[in-house]
């Protein structure tokens, strides 16, 4: 983001119509309100952003934090002590909503003791009309409610709330707008998520995401390249390209560009060492993308490719638009192009109508592909999706039994797969001092496996060579090779 001198913005002028200049105006305006409130409180005001859900939400939360810092708040890790708490919500599973309501009840008690406190809610859960109605009726103490499409308006919504003193609700059903050049406070100095697209057109029958995130919108490739160049100039060595389905990137651009072509352009950026991306939908994984992954020096040797079910019959009911056979063919192509690829996946157990035979098909895929790891989920009925009203919902006891059997299989195979790097030397990006032992640091290999080894804080953000001594399931213990 370009440097803006917010103190030079004339607040007696009318707010600009164009974005992002309009938001700069409201950042400047909100700064004045926050300064006045901090003087009344007798201390600097603090904020806490709490993120539920996916990596796209995590990236959105960095933007929320960046705007709050620009308007004068300081970060506070404990939501019980903060003057502004915002929940960036997820709604993939129904119980996620219940967690938010429970946390809100606790915050209300805190707010009664703090006259300066504001509570905000945003993200996917806010795109559900019945949620907003419930909040209006039973959670009147919430100050700010907005959804997934207008997160860039955060400063304007804060200014409106501070000006009016009333609850502000701004939910858009959909948008074709993508607003760039707003502040963001990155969690890591050396790696960053980068949104390349928003929304989803797939409408899998179990998934609420297309209804709350809207239709696919791809960012302009020049804006993506410019953002990554700025991140690299600021010390970033690894980017994670984010989208609900990155493989369908570029289809709605004025000048269409494939995801593989975008990757080729990103690879040319000097100083960028690693490129990751997620999530990939099997139906859109092209031969061109597999070829780019095979020839790339920078694309990480890791692909997250959700299967969801190994049964073609269930995949059709899920509206996934590929078969078991097509998926296994893809895996074969990927492995022949990128022999050292690490494959991970998502699997849903107990989808409506799933029989033991269908479940055995899933186990068959797990045994054939031999994933490095799998995120396994018990099917969760999501109100508002076609699957929620399907007949033949599978009994809980049957689902639990299948889930346990799948987990055992996945863990057994991944233990074997992950151990193949024992006694090899691998490049590791050091991410943090180890949580349990301050004499160790923790880093990540290209294939996404974690490695713990002796080292100090000065290594964070650097890529170093590590000899892997011992595999302990999903991580390694090693020693850095001194050069």
């Amino acid at each position: 983001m370009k440097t803006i001198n917010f103190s030079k913005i004339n607040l007696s002028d009318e707010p600009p119509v164009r974005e992002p200049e309009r938001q700069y105006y409201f950042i400047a305006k909100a700064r004045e309100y926050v300064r006045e409130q901090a003087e009344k409180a007798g201390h600097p005001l603090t904020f806490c952003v709490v993120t539920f859900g996916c990596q796209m939400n995590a990236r959105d939360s960095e933007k929320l934090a960046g705007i709050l810092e620009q308007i004068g708040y300081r970060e506070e890790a404990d939501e019980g002590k903060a003057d502004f708490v915002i929940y960036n919500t997820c709604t993939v599973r129904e119980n996620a909503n219940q967690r938010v309501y429970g946390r809100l009840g606790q915050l209300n008690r805190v707010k009664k003791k703090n006259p300066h406190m504001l509570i905000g809610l945003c993200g996917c859960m806010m795109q559900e009309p019945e949620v907003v109605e419930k909040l209006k009726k039973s959670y009147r103490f919430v100050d700010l409610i907005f959804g997934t499409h207008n997160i860039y308006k955060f400063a304007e919504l804060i200014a409106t709330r501070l000006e009016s003193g009333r609850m502000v609700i701004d939910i858009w059903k959909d948008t074709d707008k993508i607003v760039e050049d707003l502040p963001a406070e990155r969690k890591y100095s050396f790696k960053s998520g980068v949104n390349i697209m928003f929304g989803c057109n797939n409408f899998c029958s179990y998934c609420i995401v297309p209804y709350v995130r809207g239709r696919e919108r791809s960012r302009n490739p020049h804006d993506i390249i410019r953002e990554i160049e700025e991140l690299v100039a600021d010390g970033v060595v690894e980017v994670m390209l984010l989208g609900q389905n990155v493989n369908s990137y570029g289809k709605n651009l004025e000048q269409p560009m494939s995801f593989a072509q975008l990757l080729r352009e990103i690879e040319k950026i000097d100083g960028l060492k690693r490129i990751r991306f997620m999530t990939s939908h099997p139906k859109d994984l092209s031969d061109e993308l597999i070829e780019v992954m095979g020839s790339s020096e920078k694309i990480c040797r890791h692909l997250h490719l959700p299967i969801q079910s190994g049964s073609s019959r269930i995949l059709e009911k899920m509206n996934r638009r590929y078969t078991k056979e097509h998926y296994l063919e893809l895996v074969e192509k990927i492995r022949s192009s990128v022999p050292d690829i690490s494959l991970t996946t998502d699997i849903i157990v107990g989808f409506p109508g799933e029989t033991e035979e269908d479940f055995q098909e899933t186990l068959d895929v797990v045994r054939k592909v031999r994933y490095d790891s799998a995120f396994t989920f018990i099917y969760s009925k999501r109100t508002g999706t076609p699957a929620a009203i399907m007949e033949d919902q599978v009994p809980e006891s049957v689902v639990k039994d299948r889930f346990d059997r799948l987990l055992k299989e996945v863990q057994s195979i991944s233990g074997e797969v992950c151990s193949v790097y024992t006694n090899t030397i691998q490049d590791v990006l050091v991410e943090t001092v180890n949580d349990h032992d301050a004499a160790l640091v923790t880093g990540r290999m290209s294939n996404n496996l974690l490695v713990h080894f002796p080292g100090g804080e000065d290594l964070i953000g650097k890529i170093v060579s590590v000899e892997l001594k011992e595999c302990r399931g999903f991580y390694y213990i090693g020693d850095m090779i001194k050069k």
Side-chain angles (χ1 to χ4, degrees):
M1 181 201 160
K2 54 191 175 193
T3 306
I4 308 292
N5 187 343
F6 293 104
S7 60
K8 293 266 178 78
I9 293 173
N10 187 350
L11 295 176
S12 59
D13 290 345
E14 284 293 306
V17 173
R18 281 186 57 192
E19 299 291 2
E21 290 75 16
R22 182 178 176 86
Q23 295 315 309
Y24 300 157
Y25 175 93
F26 282 107
I27 286 172
K29 195 169 194 180
R31 275 161 85 110
E32 292 301 306
Y33 289 126
V34 171
R35 188 176 51 76
E36 287 167 18
Q37 292 220 347
E39 280 173 14
K40 281 183 201 166
H43 60 81
L45 298 184
T46 58
F47 77 89
C48 179
V49 179
V50 181
T51 309
F52 300 84
C54 67
Q55 280 169 300
M56 293 194 77
N57 268 17
R59 181 63 183 143
D60 286 345
S61 289
E62 291 182 343
K63 295 174 187 173
L64 298 172
I67 290 168
L68 286 165
E69 289 198 343
Q70 286 293 342
I71 65 176
Y73 282 92
R74 293 184 186 175
E75 189 155 20
E76 162 60 61
D78 184 348
E79 64 189 86
K81 294 178 184 170
D83 299 296
F84 193 134
V85 177
I86 180 153
Y87 288 163
N88 188 2
T89 62
C90 170
T91 192
V92 168
R93 284 174 177 69
E94 210 126 1
N95 62 0
N97 293 18
Q98 298 313 315
R99 278 171 63 208
V100 170
Y101 293 132
R103 298 268 285 264
L104 276 177
Q106 292 166 2
L107 272 192
N108 190 26
R109 289 193 287 278
V110 178
K111 186 172 183 179
K112 283 173 180 169
K113 297 174 192 168
N114 181 354
H116 302 287
M117 188 177 187
L118 295 178
I119 298 172
L121 292 167
C122 67
C124 294
M125 185 176 158
M126 299 307 111
Q127 293 294 144
E128 297 181 77
E130 60 274 18
V131 167
V132 178
E133 284 308 309
K134 182 170 181 169
L135 291 168
K136 285 198 296 196
K137 190 176 169 187
S138 307
Y139 296 84
R140 292 294 309 163
F141 57 88
V142 172
D143 300 279
L144 205 56
I145 298 170
F146 57 104
T148 57
H149 303 305
N150 56 343
I151 193 164
Y152 71 87
K153 278 184 70 181
F154 188 37
E156 184 173 345
L157 299 174
I158 291 171
T160 305
R161 165 62 186 80
L162 293 172
E163 210 165 53
S164 68
R166 294 198 298 271
M167 181 192 263
V168 173
I169 300 174
D170 192 21
I171 309 287
W172 297 4
K173 192 165 181 346
D174 211 339
T175 186
D176 57 1
K177 241 184 193 172
I178 295 173
V179 176
E180 314 281 349
D181 290 322
L182 288 170
E185 186 56 39
R186 297 201 315 274
K187 186 179 176 185
Y188 298 99
S189 60
F190 54 89
K191 68 175 186 174
S192 179
V194 175
N195 293 114
I196 66 166
M197 60 192 300
F198 304 88
C200 183
N201 288 355
N202 286 321
F203 291 91
C204 300
S205 63
Y206 52 81
C207 185
I208 197 80
V209 167
Y211 304 97
V212 295
R213 283 271 179 189
R215 293 303 182 96
E216 276 177 13
R217 317 185 294 293
S218 293
R219 280 180 72 191
N220 183 305
H222 304 296
D223 292 332
I224 296 168
I225 301 293
R226 182 168 56 94
E227 181 180 342
I228 297 172
E229 285 172 342
E230 287 172 1
L231 288 168
V232 170
D234 196 33
V236 166
V237 294
E238 176 181 298
V239 293
M240 168 74 86
L241 308 177
L242 298 170
Q244 245 74 44
N245 175 15
V246 291
N247 294 348
S248 65
Y249 170 81
K251 288 181 180 175
N252 65 336
L253 291 171
E254 277 181 34
Q255 294 178 305
M257 179 186 213
S258 70
F259 181 48
Q261 289 169 320
L262 176 69
L263 284 170
R264 280 201 181 98
E265 293 306 308
I266 293 171
E267 187 155 24
K268 294 174 188 171
I269 297 172
D270 285 339
L272 181 66
K273 307 285 188 198
R274 286 182 169 185
I275 303 165
R276 297 188 185 276
F277 55 84
M278 71 184 315
T279 297
S280 283
H281 195 300
K283 79 173 174 64
D284 296 311
L285 189 79
S286 65
D287 289 348
E288 183 193 19
L289 176 56
I290 293 170
E291 186 191 322
V292 168
M293 288 181 72
S295 61
S296 172
E297 296 291 316
K298 296 183 180 180
I299 296 171
C300 286
R301 295 333 211 196
H302 171 231
L303 179 64
H304 187 69
L305 194 64
I307 176 75
Q308 304 301 6
S309 171
S311 160
S312 295
R313 188 181 76 84
I314 293 296
L315 287 169
E316 189 177 355
K317 286 185 77 176
M318 289 177 165
N319 195 33
R320 292 290 288 173
R321 286 177 278 180
Y322 56 85
T323 62
K324 173 187 177 180
E325 291 69 32
H326 173 232
Y327 185 92
L328 291 172
E329 275 170 32
L330 268 183
V331 168
E332 211 170 288
K333 280 185 192 171
I334 294 158
R335 286 237 162 97
S336 66
S337 181
V338 194
D340 57 344
I341 193 86
S342 161
L343 287 172
T344 57
T345 198
D346 296 336
I347 300 170
I348 295 170
V349 179
F351 188 81
E354 181 189 75
T355 63
E356 179 60 27
E357 191 182 344
D358 294 319
F359 176 67
Q360 287 298 329
E361 297 273 12
T362 298
L363 288 180
D364 185 51
V365 170
V366 167
R367 288 170 190 139
K368 281 180 172 149
V369 176
R370 295 180 63 78
Y371 296 105
D372 287 59
S373 70
F375 296 94
T376 52
F377 305 95
I378 286 176
Y379 168 71
S380 166
K381 192 189 282 192
R382 194 63 196 79
T383 308
T385 63
I389 53 171
M390 285 181 182
E391 292 177 0
D392 297 332
Q393 300 283 330
V394 184
E396 200 175 316
S397 58
V398 174
V399 178
K400 178 78 173 66
D401 172 63
R402 286 177 191 164
F403 181 80
D404 292 343
R405 283 187 281 151
L406 174 67
L407 202 57
K408 193 175 172 188
E409 194 73 37
V410 163
Q411 288 175 344
S412 166
I413 290 169
S414 59
E416 292 168 20
V417 172
C418 295
S419 66
V420 299
Y421 299 99
T422 307
N423 298 324
T424 66
I425 293 170
Q426 300 290 334
D427 286 342
V428 174
L429 173 59
V430 183
E431 297 193 341
T432 181
V433 172
N434 188 276
D435 290 339
H436 305 294
D437 184 347
L440 300 177
V441 289
T442 297
R444 209 174 281 275
M445 290 159 54
S446 171
N447 67 6
N448 215 34
L449 278 177
L450 288 176
V451 184
H452 309 301
F453 60 96
E457 203 172 341
D458 59 313
L459 293 174
I460 291 174
K462 292 178 180 167
I463 296 176
V464 297
S465 296
V466 178
E467 185 174 1
L468 308 180
K469 299 284 194 183
E470 185 190 349
C471 179
R472 297 189 184 170
F474 297 106
Y475 67 90
Y476 274 94
I477 302 294
D479 283 318
M480 189 169 91
I481 304 293
K482 302 274 196 297
K483 290 188 177 174

